[in-house]
């Protein structure tokens, strides 16, 4: 089974599922970059971005921007590449996706852009610093809820959940969901 058959199979499987459709476009964009087809990679990455935006999966949308920025840089479109990569970097940093934000920063530095590194700050986990809404969201993350489940239960959009969760990550000094649970339990044990 060659690349075209695999791609067609993935497209058939994901038809109508925006997030999965986005993953197909993103994978195709990354394959196009590897093959040196940068313009095609940009088009596929932009399609992925639109799918992820429609599915309200912000981190994946930002990752699609990162891929588009890489393809633009390799095709010699420096100005457009910088614009995409700066948007990706900002979004990824805000979402707490530090590894991906670092990748975007690295790409920007190769294009001659100075990106300030965030100083490593030892932020103590303090659940008391969370607002009531942030606490509601953090508690549901600890219980294993997805962003969509949290949104449905609290009657807010998944995008709003992502924004609150980014603030929770910052206030608790963590960069992933499992870290929220650990920080919440450490904070709760201090209050006893």
């Amino acid at each position: 089974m060659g690349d075209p058959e695999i791609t067609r199979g993935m497209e058939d499987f994901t038809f109508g599922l925006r997030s999965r459709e986005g993953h197909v476009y993103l994978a195709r964009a990354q394959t196009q970059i590897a093959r040196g087809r940068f313009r095609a990679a940009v088009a596929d990455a932009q399609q992925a971005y639109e799918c992820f935006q429609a599915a309200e999966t912000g981190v994946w949308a930002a990752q699609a921007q990162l891929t588009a920025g890489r393809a633009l840089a390799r095709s010699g479109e420096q100005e457009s590449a910088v614009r995409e990569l700066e948007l990706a970097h900002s979004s990824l940093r805000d979402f707490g996706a530090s590894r991906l934000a670092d990748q975007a920063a690295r790409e920007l530095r190769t294009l001659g852009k100075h990106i300030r590194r965030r100083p490593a700050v030892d932020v103590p986990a303090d659940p008391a610093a969370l607002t009531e809404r942030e606490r509601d969201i953090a508690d549901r993350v600890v219980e294993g809820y997805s962003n969509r489940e949290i949104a449905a239960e609290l009657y807010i959009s998944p995008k709003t959940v992502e924004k609150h969760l980014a603030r929770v990550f910052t206030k608790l000094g963590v960069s992933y969901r499992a870290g929220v649970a650990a920080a919440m339990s450490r904070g709760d044990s201090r209050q006893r």
Side-chain angles (χ1 to χ4, degrees):
M1 189 186 254
D3 287 344
E5 293 90 11
I6 292 171
T7 301
R8 264 194 307 283
M10 288 176 71
E11 288 168 350
D12 291 343
F13 174 71
T14 62
F15 179 74
L17 304 172
R18 299 297 286 173
S19 179
R20 288 189 180 172
E21 191 176 345
H23 287 289
V24 171
Y25 280 117
L26 186 58
R28 196 176 350 179
Q30 292 165 341
T31 301
Q32 298 288 22
I33 290 173
R35 291 182 175 166
R37 299 178 189 154
F38 305 120
R39 291 305 312 148
V42 171
D44 286 334
Q46 289 170 339
Q47 286 285 82
Y49 173 81
E50 289 176 21
C51 290
F52 291 133
Q53 281 293 94
E56 297 181 347
T57 52
V59 172
W60 284 105
Q63 192 167 354
Q65 286 177 308
L66 171 59
T67 302
R70 284 179 172 148
L72 286 163
R74 283 155 184 77
S75 71
E77 297 181 46
Q78 304 294 335
E79 195 173 304
S80 296
V82 167
R83 193 170 38 253
E84 283 294 312
L85 291 167
E86 285 177 336
L87 289 169
H89 180 260
S90 175
S91 295
L92 291 164
R93 191 184 59 220
D94 290 347
F95 287 127
S98 56
R99 184 182 58 81
L100 291 169
D102 289 346
Q103 288 177 22
R106 225 177 354 266
E107 291 285 336
L108 284 163
R109 281 192 287 279
T110 63
L111 295 172
K113 290 295 285 182
H114 178 71
I115 301 297
R116 289 181 111 154
R117 295 178 194 250
R118 280 190 163 174
V121 177
D122 188 19
V123 179
D126 185 11
L130 300 178
T131 66
E132 186 176 333
R133 178 60 85 185
E134 291 165 351
R135 179 71 186 217
D136 290 342
I137 289 171
D139 288 341
R140 284 166 178 79
V141 167
V142 170
E143 293 171 18
Y145 284 57
S146 71
N147 285 6
R148 283 198 179 277
E149 292 169 330
I150 294 169
E153 190 163 304
L154 297 178
Y155 303 105
I156 57 177
S157 76
K159 195 152 203 81
T160 302
V161 172
E162 286 180 12
K163 289 178 183 177
H164 283 299
L165 198 51
R167 286 193 291 273
V168 168
F169 285 175
T170 300
K171 288 180 179 181
L172 296 180
V174 300
S175 57
Y176 52 94
R177 293 174 83 90
V180 172
M184 294 296 285
S185 68
R186 279 194 310 269
D188 288 342
S189 67
R190 275 192 228 140
Q191 291 175 352
R192 289 184 190 141

